[in-house]
């Protein structure tokens, strides 16, 4: 069976992050979330709580100084960490 990995980039996602991830985490082999370093809400706390429930959730923080280039680099970092058949 093919393995599936879900990716997301998030900044200030406290209002929607938990239901968004919970809607897919039961269907995928792994989830990789990159947190924008400029996030200043409760995103990190929500992800820490979710990591306790879902061992296949990986969270990385990425320093974003220039959104036009750094978000592309963050996305490429996700891709490099992925070895599943489907994203």
């Amino acid at each position: 069976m093919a393995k599936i990995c879900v990716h997301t980039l998030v900044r200030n996602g406290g209002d929607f992050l938990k239901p968004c991830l919970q809607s897919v985490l039961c269907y995928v082999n792994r989830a990789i979330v990159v947190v924008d370093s400029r996030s200043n809400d409760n995103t990190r706390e929500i992800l820490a709580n979710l990591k306790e429930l879902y061992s296949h959730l990986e969270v990385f923080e990425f320093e974003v100084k220039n959104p036009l280039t750094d978000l592309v680099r963050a996305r490429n970092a996700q891709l490099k960490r992925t070895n599943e058949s489907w994203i």
Side-chain angles (χ1 to χ4, degrees):
M1 180 171 224
K3 292 188 176 186
I4 301 170
C5 183
V6 67
H7 289 178
T8 191
L9 302 169
V10 63
R11 176 180 178 207
N12 295 336
D15 291 341
F16 60 86
L17 186 59
K18 185 176 179 179
C20 174
L21 287 174
Q22 286 181 320
S23 72
V24 297
L25 282 167
C26 59
Y27 300 107
V28 300
N29 300 93
R30 192 161 58 117
I32 302 174
V33 177
V34 173
V35 179
D36 183 322
S37 62
R38 300 169 299 163
S39 191
N40 59 12
D41 68 350
N42 61 340
T43 293
R44 289 174 187 84
E45 292 80 15
I46 291 168
L47 288 168
N49 291 334
L50 287 172
K51 280 183 68 158
E52 291 180 15
L53 299 172
Y54 301 96
S55 61
H56 60 297
L57 173 61
E58 297 179 20
V59 178
F60 302 96
E61 185 155 334
F62 200 89
E63 185 175 0
V64 177
K65 293 180 181 176
N66 179 352
L68 295 177
T69 57
D70 293 340
L71 294 176
V72 172
R73 289 183 33 245
R75 177 71 175 129
N76 287 334
Q78 280 180 317
L79 292 170
K80 286 181 183 177
R81 291 188 163 139
T82 304
N83 55 16
E84 287 80 7
S85 304
W86 291 90
I87 300 172

